[in-house]
Amino acid sequence: DDQSRRRVAFAFLEDAKIRFRSQFADIMHKAPAFTMNPDFGPILERQMAFYNSDPGNDDIMKVKNQLDDVKNVMVENIEKVLERGEKIELLVDKTEQMTEHAYKF
């Protein structure tokens, strides 16, 4: 959705800022414009490819996916418990019938 794409874009910008400052902190205010392009350009390209191709790079989307996974597991567990309850009811009914037949016998 739109918010997810916006979060990914801002995460990319924050990542680029951190990487740029860590690599060029001592010269970034003194260097002429575009001096660092040959060194930092490939880093930007690599990070752009990563943020555009990896759908899991958004933390909120990761959490949503994990919640969906947990929800699916819980639904399966509830279905299994209901099935088990039905089987137990059948066993109780059969044992009651067998008890009645035993008394008649």
Side-chain angles (χ1 to χ4, degrees), residues 24-63:
F24 301 109
D26 52 340
I27 63 168
M28 69 181 180
H29 294 294
K30 302 172 201 165
F34 307 110
T35 305
M36 296 158 273
N37 276 2
D39 296 328
F40 199 65
I43 295 171
L44 278 178
E45 286 180 32
R46 186 173 59 245
Q47 291 310 107
M48 283 174 54
F50 170 75
Y51 279 93
N52 283 328
S53 65
D54 187 8
N57 56 20
D58 183 16
D59 290 337
I60 293 176
M61 289 304 293
K62 286 180 189 176
V63 171

Side-chain angles (χ1 to χ4, degrees), residues 67-81:
L67 284 174
D68 287 342
D69 292 344
V70 169
K71 178 181 143 190
N72 291 336
V73 169
M74 292 303 295
V75 167
E76 288 177 17
N77 288 341
I78 290 171
E79 288 173 355
K80 288 177 183 177
V81 166

